[in-house]
Amino acid sequence: MENRIIHTFVYALSGAVLGLILIPVWGLFINTQTSPVSIVLAASLLFGIWGFIFPNSVKNVFMYLWHWFR
């Protein structure tokens, strides 16, 4: 259980970084009315919960998104 909590914390921080990367894309192309803080919080919450429930699958999503933004 302790290992899952560590995974959750790490993936929540990674989700926050991903949210910071998503802010310009989301603000310019998807919805200009969304607050940047809500984008970061939503991304970190999503990946934190996902990292707790499926700790081994989040890495694949991050790698896919990394290649997509690169």
Side-chain angles (χ1 to χ4, degrees):
M1 186 67 174
E2 183 178 314
N3 196 17
R4 282 192 162 200
I5 293 173
I6 293 170
H7 276 119
T8 301
F9 182 70
V10 168
Y11 288 137
L13 287 176
S14 302
V17 171
L18 183 65
L20 289 172
I21 294 169
L22 283 175
I23 287 173
V25 175
W26 190 275
L28 291 175
F29 300 112
I30 298 175
N31 186 1
T32 59
Q33 301 299 320
T34 306
S35 168
V37 174
S38 65
I39 295 170
V40 172
L41 288 177
S44 64
L45 184 66
L46 173 74
F47 282 107
I49 291 171
W50 196 356
F52 184 77
I53 296 173
F54 306 110
N56 297 325
S57 70
V58 176
K59 182 182 105 174
N60 297 332
V61 172
F62 275 116
M63 293 306 293
Y64 173 75
L65 289 174
W66 179 259
H67 291 294
W68 185 59
F69 282 119
R70 206 172 56 149

